[in-house]
């Protein structure tokens, strides 16, 4: 296989075949499944030049739209068993030989070899070396065309090099009146033959073992049967079926999947499954996605992107193509379709292009909205605390609507993922027109009391979400690293080391302030650490890259005693020295927690701390036995506290340490998380649940003070195909219960994706200070999946007759509760028919819909949904036809004006007997 980005391959049923273009929409509308024929071993010889496939498809008689219909044979020029030479509009290959003409016979077979007999009415089993050979047996045996006006007609449709030539048979069995209808489709540039069988009211006219269906070459050494019988009974007639004899590669788009809603200017995930099902592998092709407001390619279709590279796909295999392009910015609200086109450059000689294009189910393009993102953020590489500096950046609006007076915030972050919990350095407003970029230059003061270190400046556009946007993931941007350094100060903030125990694991993090924030620790020359301990940098190798790291005194002491030593710390050319004392206790003492206090953490900033124990028999195992660490932090069994705290305040916790013989000790500690400088919402999403799956007291999280939670509104973002956005003020997502302390209980009752907007109010009593209470808006994404499916079980609908009453009911399986039905946006029923919410299609079709034709097929899409938003769509079709009229032939008169009915009955019987006897002799 050649390289291809964003695609995968899976197995698929072998033997599927393309349908001809003008019938493709009817096949989709009827929901017909492809079926692989299963003939016995003898039905297809060892040669692999052809494969035989059957599939269900409605039959449409000639003439079709486009091209000119030519009558080859009819009642005016047929007197018995005859064949008619037909010139082909393009060369056609049959068993490796190219032909420019063929002959079609009234007995239901076609022969390609010049000179073959054209009057063979009695068929024989394949293979055979009898004349005729090199044949296509459509329905071969005793055909009759003498009283049929359009017995054999042809039509060419399409333009070079993608033309198709159709030969239609309208025949009956000899001496019988019921007609059978079939078409042979030949495609330019391909050797694939599609034989489409229509109706036959009386197939029993053909007796047992009388009919041959299949193909054979000139010598008879290769043949392929179209039906799983050699000399078939009339009952084998395959109504509304295509039998394909394929000798070329074939490609088909099986399925196109897209979300139920998209937005102009916003990326949308899409994927398409493609299957190779011809007689040969499909090689050197690619794939393309389009968007259109109709489920087909046309002048209004827009290319979204072509998958890079080309691929080879063995016959029978499938491949998934994916893409995540931005939808065109100029799209207006409404219903659209993503269209998958495989082999858009026509590199594979398939027999039909109809199966290479398929539209997705309809989806909705929502409201036009701005889409703001900061770009090109440039800050100085080095800034001194308390000094002013310039930050330059661009505010880009890649959305489809203008943005006016949009607030933005510049924050200071210790990592490259800035958010609203970081300290704010600057706030401003900006205007950006749709599809425009506004340059911004801000003068900002670095806080004087800021600890030296490596920081990032983050630009947050609309941090409080006062502006409606479909996409918010790109609202934040980050600058280059900024070194905040005070070249004049450096201090060691570690004041003591807890006692250690002989042979026990020991680890204490060293801390300092000032300099440039990158603190390099070392042992002062001439000083010595306790045996078994050393200075360890974590993560390793980050010091050389100029990034922050931790240095800790760690290891396992190997000597008992009181050890004095001196440590040096260096930063930005400054050096500080401190003396320490560490006592190593002998083993055998009872296990005890030696950590007396835990270093403070900061809200939404990564944290790493180590608990230390002595005594007992290491290794130790640590657990929390009372209370809980702040949300976002966890204690592992080795005593390491790590994570990113998402709750501020002083949180008491009781920990237990156990040694290997089961002895344990406990200690009361406090974890202090420094709050942000403003009220911040820490909850952004809930774990995905299914319908009726209860939440186990999930807590919404905020920091910056004690808060009260109140629901503002719930926006129902997407509920499936045919549904748009919906806002419910003052309501939580269906089934969820919110308490004032942020605790959420209940179980979701309706599937969908929700944006839950909540007002977070500070609840502290500030009467003494007379300062106003803080309030922010918090938006939480809640996704509820369906617990089981719902599917439309109706696959076909009865035909409707103009002027006659029509009633049928759609059916669905699955779901729970009453099913509500509706037409999908853009779909409509024939004039005079309507669909009610209970699934009833009723009314009386209007004659105007047929536009003078005898019948037409109307395709449409329906949607079924239960009260819990389990939903499914289906593509259906209704055949609307004129009322059937029965004509009685006029009585024949002779030249004298007398009626033939007045003749002597005995003479008539005698004449008929002579005629039948003559016919029997001729047939013999």
């Amino acid at each position: 296989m050649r390289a291809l980005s964003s695609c995968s391959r899976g197995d698929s049923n072998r033997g599927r075949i393309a349908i001809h273009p003008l019938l493709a929409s009817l096949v989709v509308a009827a929901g017909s499944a492809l079926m692989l024929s299963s003939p016995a071993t003898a039905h297809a010889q060892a040669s692999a030049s052809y494969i035989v496939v059957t599939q269900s498809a409605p039959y449409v008689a000639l003439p079709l739209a486009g091209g000119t219909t030519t009558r080859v044979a009819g009642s005016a020029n047929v007197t018995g068993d005859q064949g008619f030479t037909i010139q082909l509009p393009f060369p056609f290959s049959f068993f490796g030989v190219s032909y420019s003409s063929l002959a079609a016979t009234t007995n239901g077979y076609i022969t390609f070899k010049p000179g073959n007999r054209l009057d063979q009415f009695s068929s024989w089993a394949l293979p055979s070396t009898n004349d005729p050979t090199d044949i296509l047996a459509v329905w071969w045996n005793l055909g009759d065309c003498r009283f049929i006006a359009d017995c054999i007609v042809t039509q060419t449709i399409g333009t070079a090099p993608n033309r198709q030539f159709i030969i239609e048979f309208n025949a009956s069995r000899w001496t019988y009146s019921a007609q059978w209808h079939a078409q042979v489709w030949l495609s330019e540039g391909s050797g694939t033959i599609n034989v489409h069988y229509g109706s036959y009211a009386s197939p029993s006219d053909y007796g047992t073992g009388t009919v041959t269906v299949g193909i054979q070459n000139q010598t008879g050494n290769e043949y392929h049967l179209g039906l799983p019988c050699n000399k078939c009974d009339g009952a084998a007639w395959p109504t509304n079926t295509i039998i394909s004899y394929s000798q070329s590669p074939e490609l088909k788009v099986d399925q196109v999947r897209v979300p139920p809603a998209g937005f102009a200017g916003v990326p949308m995930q899409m994927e398409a499954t493609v299957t190779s099902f011809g007689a040969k592998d499909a090689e050197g092709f690619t794939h393309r996605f389009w968007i259109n407001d109709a489920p087909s390619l046309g002048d209004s279709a827009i290319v979204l992107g072509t998958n890079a590279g080309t691929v080879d796909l063995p016959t029978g295999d499938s491949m998934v193509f994916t893409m995540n392009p931005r939808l065109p910015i100029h799209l207006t609200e409404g219903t659209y379709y993503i269209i998958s086109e495989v082999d858009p450059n026509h590199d594979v000689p398939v027999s039909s292009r109809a199966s290479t294009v398929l539209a997705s189910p309809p989806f909705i393009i929502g409201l036009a909205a701005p889409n703001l993102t900061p770009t090109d953020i440039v800050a100085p590489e080095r800034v001194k605390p308390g000094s002013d500096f310039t930050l330059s950046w661009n505010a880009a609006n890649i959305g489809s609507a203008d943005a006016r007076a949009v607030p933005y915030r510049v924050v200071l972050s210790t990592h490259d993922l800035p958010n609203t919990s970081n300290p704010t350095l600057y706030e401003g407003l900006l205007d950006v027109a749709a599809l425009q970029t506004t340059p911004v230059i801000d003068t900002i003061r670095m806080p004087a009391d800021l600890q030296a270190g490596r920081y990032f400046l983050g630009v947050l556009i609309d941090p409080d979400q006062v502006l409606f946007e479909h996409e918010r993931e790109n609202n934040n941007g980050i600058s280059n690293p900024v070194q905040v350094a005070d070249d004049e100060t450096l201090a060691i903030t570690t004041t003591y080391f807890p006692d250690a125990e002989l042979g026990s694991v020991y680890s204490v993090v060293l801390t300092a302030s000032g300099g440039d924030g990158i603190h390099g620790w070392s042992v002062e020359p001439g000083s010595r650490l306790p045996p078994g301990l050393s200075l360890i940098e974590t993560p390793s190798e980050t010091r050389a890259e100029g990034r922050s790291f931790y240095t800790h005194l760690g290891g396992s002491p190997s000597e008992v005693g009181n050890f004095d030593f001196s440590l040096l710390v260096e930063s930005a050319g400054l050096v500080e020295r401190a003396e320490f004392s560490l006592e190593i206790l002998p083993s055998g003492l009872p296990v005890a927690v030696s950590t007396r206090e835990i270093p403070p953490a900061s809200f939404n900033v990564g944290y790493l701390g180590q608990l230390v124990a002595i005594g007992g028999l290491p290794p130790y195992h640590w657990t929390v036995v009372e209370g809980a660490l702040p949300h976002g932090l966890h204690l592992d069994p080795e005593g390491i506290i790590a994570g990113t705290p998402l709750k501020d305040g002083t949180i008491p916790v009781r920990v237990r340490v156990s040694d290997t013989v089961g002895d344990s000790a406990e200690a009361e500690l406090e974890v202090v998380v420094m709050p942000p400088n403003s009220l911040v919402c820490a909850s952004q999403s809930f774990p995905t649940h299914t319908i009726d799956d209860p939440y186990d007291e999930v807590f919404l999280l905020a920091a910056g003070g004690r808060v009260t939670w109140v629901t503002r509104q719930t926006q129902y973002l997407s509920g499936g195909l045919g549904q748009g956005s919906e806002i419910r003020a003052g309501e939580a997502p269906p089934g969820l219960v919110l308490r004032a302390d942020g605790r959420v209980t209940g179980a979701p009752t309706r599937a969908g994706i929700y944006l839950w907007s909540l007002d977070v109010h500070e609840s502290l009593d500030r009467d003494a200070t007379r300062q106003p209470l803080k309030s922010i808006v918090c938006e939480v994404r809640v996704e509820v999946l369906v617990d089981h499916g719902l599917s439309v079980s109706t696959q076909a609908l009865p035909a409707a007759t103009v002027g006659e009453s029509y009633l049928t009911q759609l059916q669905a399986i699955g779901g729970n509760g009453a099913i509500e039905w509706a037409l999908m946006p853009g779909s409509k029923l024939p004039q005079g028919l309507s669909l009610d919410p209970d699934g009833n299609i009723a009314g009386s079709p209007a004659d105007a819909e047929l536009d003078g034709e005898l019948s037409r097929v109307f395709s449409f899409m329906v949607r079924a949904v239960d009260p819990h938003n389990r939903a499914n769509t289906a593509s259906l079709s209704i055949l609307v036809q004129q009322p059937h009229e029965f004509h009685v032939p006029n009585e024949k008169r002779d030249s004298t004006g007398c009626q033939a009915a007045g003749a002597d009955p005995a003479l008539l019987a005698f004449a008929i007997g002579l005629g039948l006897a003559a016919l029997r002799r001729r047939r013999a």
Side-chain angles (χ1 to χ4, degrees):
M1 178 181 291
R2 303 177 189 176
L4 177 76
S5 63
S6 303
C7 64
S8 60
R9 176 186 295 175
D11 291 335
S12 177
N13 291 332
R14 290 179 178 270
R16 293 184 176 180
I17 193 67
I19 61 176
H20 30 77
L22 297 179
L23 300 179
S25 61
L26 299 179
V27 174
V28 173
S32 303
L34 296 176
M35 301 179 295
L36 177 65
S37 62
S38 302
T41 304
H43 297 158
Q45 299 302 317
S47 170
S49 63
Y50 284 91
I51 62 171
V52 183
V53 182
T54 63
Q55 68 179 17
S56 299
Y59 180 88
V60 180
L62 298 182
L64 301 176
T68 302
T69 301
T70 301
R71 178 188 297 179
V72 177
S75 58
N77 59 350
V78 175
T79 58
D81 303 314
Q82 292 190 38
F84 300 88
T85 299
I86 300 172
Q87 296 298 317
L88 297 176
F90 48 78
F92 186 79
S93 175
F94 187 64
F95 284 102
V97 179
S98 180
Y99 295 96
S100 59
S101 65
L102 53 77
T105 74
T106 59
N107 289 309
Y109 70 86
I110 287 175
T111 177
F112 289 86
K113 180 181 177 182
N116 270 344
R117 65 179 299 179
L118 306 180
D119 60 351
Q120 180 59 42
F121 59 86
S122 177
S123 67
W124 43 70
L126 302 180
S128 173
T129 57
N130 296 330
D131 185 6
T133 59
D134 208 27
I135 59 171
L136 163 63
V138 178
W139 189 254
W140 180 18
N141 190 283
L142 286 174
D144 194 356
C145 288
R146 290 178 301 154
F147 305 110
I148 302 173
D150 293 313
C151 177
I152 302 176
V153 294
T154 66
Q155 183 178 357
T156 303
I157 60 176
T159 58
N162 297 305
R163 290 171 292 180
Q164 292 185 299
F165 185 65
I166 309 156
I167 307 166
E168 182 175 271
F169 291 84
N170 301 291
S172 65
R173 191 180 188 277
W174 177 258
T175 73
Y176 289 78
S177 60
Q179 292 185 34
W180 56 263
H181 308 279
Q183 294 172 349
V184 176
W185 286 63
L186 309 179
S187 299
E188 187 173 10
S190 168
T192 295
I193 302 172
N194 295 328
V195 185
H196 193 168
Y197 294 85
S199 61
Y200 188 13
S202 183
S204 60
D205 291 352
Y206 287 85
T208 302
T210 59
V211 179
T212 299
V213 176
I215 60 175
Q216 176 187 287
N217 66 357
Q218 290 188 13
T219 61
N221 65 346
E222 184 179 344
Y223 69 99
H224 302 271
L225 296 181
L227 294 174
C229 51
N230 204 336
K231 297 286 286 184
C232 299
D233 301 345
W237 174 265
T239 302
N240 286 336
T241 298
I242 297 176
I243 299 178
S244 296
Y245 307 92
S246 174
Q247 61 175 353
S248 61
E250 303 289 350
L251 287 169
K252 178 178 184 292
V253 182
D254 287 310
Q255 188 179 24
V256 186
R257 291 167 292 276
V258 297
F263 306 99
V266 177
M268 188 170 79
Q269 183 70 30
M270 54 194 67
E271 64 178 48
T273 301
V274 173
T275 300
S276 170
F277 58 91
K280 299 177 182 178
D281 295 346
E283 298 178 342
F285 67 92
T286 186
H287 175 270
R288 181 173 295 157
F289 282 109
W290 302 71
I291 188 170
N292 200 1
D293 56 5
S296 60
L297 291 179
D299 294 340
S300 59
I302 302 171
V303 174
L304 296 179
T306 302
N307 291 95
T310 59
V311 297
D312 301 340
L313 191 59
T315 184
D317 282 3
S318 294
M319 176 174 291
V320 177
F321 293 85
T322 63
M323 194 172 289
N324 191 33
R326 287 191 179 273
L327 299 184
I329 194 67
H330 66 271
L331 296 181
T332 58
E333 297 175 53
T335 300
Y336 289 83
Y337 302 82
I338 296 299
I339 301 169
S340 163
E341 183 183 15
V342 63
D343 191 29
N345 301 323
H346 296 187
D347 297 312
V348 180
V350 300
S351 64
S352 169
R353 292 286 162 189
S355 63
T356 63
V357 178
L358 183 67
S360 71
F363 68 95
I364 302 300
I365 293 291
L367 295 171
N371 185 359
L372 299 173
T373 183
T375 64
D376 306 317
I377 304 172
V378 178
E381 295 182 358
R382 190 179 184 90
V383 178
K384 191 173 183 178
S387 64
D388 293 339
F389 65 94
T390 298
L391 180 72
S392 63
W393 56 284
N394 291 323
N397 183 357
I398 59 176
S400 54
D402 295 345
R404 303 298 180 191
V406 181
Y408 70 90
R409 189 181 302 169
V410 178
V411 299
L412 187 67
S413 174
T414 58
H415 50 77
D416 57 2
L417 293 173
N419 54 58
T420 54
S421 65
N422 299 131
T424 299
L425 299 184
Y426 186 85
E427 291 182 307
L429 298 173
L430 55 86
D431 296 335
V432 190
L435 300 178
Q436 299 297 318
T437 297
T438 298
V440 181
I441 299 177
D442 295 321
T443 300
I444 303 172
R445 173 159 295 186
M446 192 68 72
D449 58 351
L450 182 65
Q451 183 177 338
R454 184 173 180 264
Y455 295 88
F456 295 89
L457 294 167
V459 175
L460 315 182
I461 298 181
D462 191 24
D464 297 324
Q465 301 182 6
V466 299
L467 182 72
F468 176 73
E469 293 183 77
H470 297 303
E471 184 183 19
R472 293 192 177 276
E473 290 77 6
N474 60 353
N475 280 35
N476 298 352
I478 196 72
S479 73
N480 51 286
V482 177
Q483 194 69 51
V484 177
D486 185 350
D487 299 336
E488 301 174 358
T489 62
L490 179 65
I492 295 175
T493 55
T494 296
T495 57
Y496 81 102
F497 289 99
D499 295 341
E501 182 185 345
L502 182 69
S504 299
V505 176
Y506 187 83
S507 178
V508 175
V509 176
L510 305 177
T511 59
S513 64
D516 60 6
I518 306 297
H519 301 132
W521 292 86
S522 62
V523 179
E524 185 178 30
S527 185
R528 184 173 72 93
L529 295 176
L533 299 181
S534 61
L535 298 180
I536 304 170
E537 293 181 355
T538 304
S540 60
E541 301 179 359
T542 56
R543 182 177 183 180
E545 300 172 2
R547 296 190 289 120
S548 300
F549 57 91
Y550 295 100
T551 301
H552 58 101
L553 178 65
S556 297
S558 57
E559 291 184 17
V560 175
N562 193 1
F563 296 87
D564 297 325
F565 54 92
S566 299
L567 298 180
L568 301 177
V569 63
E570 184 273 333
S571 181
L574 303 176
V575 178
E576 282 294 317
R577 172 183 179 278
E579 296 181 354
F580 298 96
S581 179
L582 174 59
E583 184 174 3
I584 310 298
L585 302 175
S587 59
L589 294 176
V591 64
V593 178
S594 62
T595 298
R596 288 175 282 181
E597 62 181 31
I598 301 173
S602 296
F603 176 78
N604 205 32
V605 176
Y607 180 81
L608 180 66
Q610 174 74 55
L611 300 181
V612 179
I614 60 173
L617 184 62
Y620 302 119
H621 185 275
W622 293 84
T623 56
V624 174
V625 295
E626 187 176 332
L629 291 173
H631 189 81
L633 294 181
H634 64 274
L635 172 65
D636 69 12
E638 287 74 32
I640 298 175
I641 299 175
T644 301
L646 297 177
K647 184 175 179 58
D648 60 347
T650 300
I651 296 93
V653 64
R654 188 173 185 84
V655 298
R656 175 184 297 157
V657 61
S658 304
D659 65 6
T660 56
V661 297
D663 293 332
S664 63
E666 296 181 1
E668 294 280 356
L669 300 173
E670 288 185 342
V671 180
V672 178
V673 180
M674 304 302 295
N677 57 4
S678 62
L679 196 59
V680 172
C681 176
S683 294
Q684 296 181 344
S685 64
F686 271 9
T688 299
H689 275 227
T690 58
I691 296 174
D692 294 332
D693 181 16
Y695 284 93
D696 297 328
E697 288 199 342
V698 176
F699 275 88
L700 295 166
L701 299 174
R706 291 172 49 199
V707 297
T708 299
W709 295 80
V710 178
T711 293
R712 169 180 283 196
Q713 67 178 32
T714 295
Q715 184 179 5
Y716 187 33
L717 294 180
S718 64
L721 301 177
Q723 286 191 344
S725 179
E726 175 185 338
I727 296 178
R728 295 188 178 182
E731 295 184 18
L736 302 190
V737 178
L738 170 68
R739 299 190 181 184
D741 62 354
R743 183 168 36 174
V744 178
T745 59
T749 59
R750 188 181 183 209
I753 300 174
Y754 302 87
L755 187 63
W756 188 7
S757 297
L758 304 110
D759 288 322
V760 186
H761 303 287
E762 190 177 23
S763 55
L764 292 175
D765 183 3
R766 290 196 171 188
D767 289 344
T769 62
R770 298 187 180 274
Q771 295 180 1
L773 296 179
K774 300 176 183 177
S775 178
I776 61 171
V777 177
C778 181
E779 291 190 341
V780 180
R781 187 178 187 273
V782 180
E783 183 172 3
V784 181
L785 306 177
V786 294
D787 51 351
H788 59 267
L790 180 149
S791 60
V792 177
S793 56
T794 299
Q795 295 184 353
L797 298 174
T801 303
V802 169
E804 296 182 9
S805 179
Y806 182 87
L807 177 63
T808 188
Q809 185 172 37
L810 305 179
Q811 302 291 329
I813 57 176
N816 185 12
I819 305 299
E820 183 174 344
W821 296 83
L823 289 171
M824 292 293 293
S827 287
K828 66 177 182 178
L829 291 171
Q831 182 180 349
L833 299 183
S834 63
L835 171 65
D836 67 21
D838 295 328
N840 296 306
I841 299 178
S844 176
D847 180 67
E849 286 282 42
L850 294 185
D851 196 21
E853 299 182 19
L854 294 179
S855 64
R856 286 184 63 189
V857 175
F858 296 86
S859 301
F860 55 93
M861 292 191 72
V862 297
R863 182 180 191 272
V865 60
D866 76 353
H868 303 283
N869 207 46
R870 304 178 183 95
N872 186 243
T873 63
S875 178
L876 300 173
S877 65
I878 294 178
L879 173 66
V880 179
Q881 57 191 1
Q882 294 284 5
H884 296 289
E885 298 180 359
F886 298 91
H887 299 283
V888 178
N890 294 326
E891 295 176 314
K892 295 183 179 180
R893 299 177 180 269
D894 61 17
S895 60
T896 65
C898 296
Q899 296 183 0
D904 187 339
L907 293 176
L908 288 175
F910 177 75
I912 292 172
L914 288 176
L916 291 177
L919 290 176
R920 283 194 295 270
R921 286 195 299 272
R922 186 176 67 83
R923 288 294 184 184

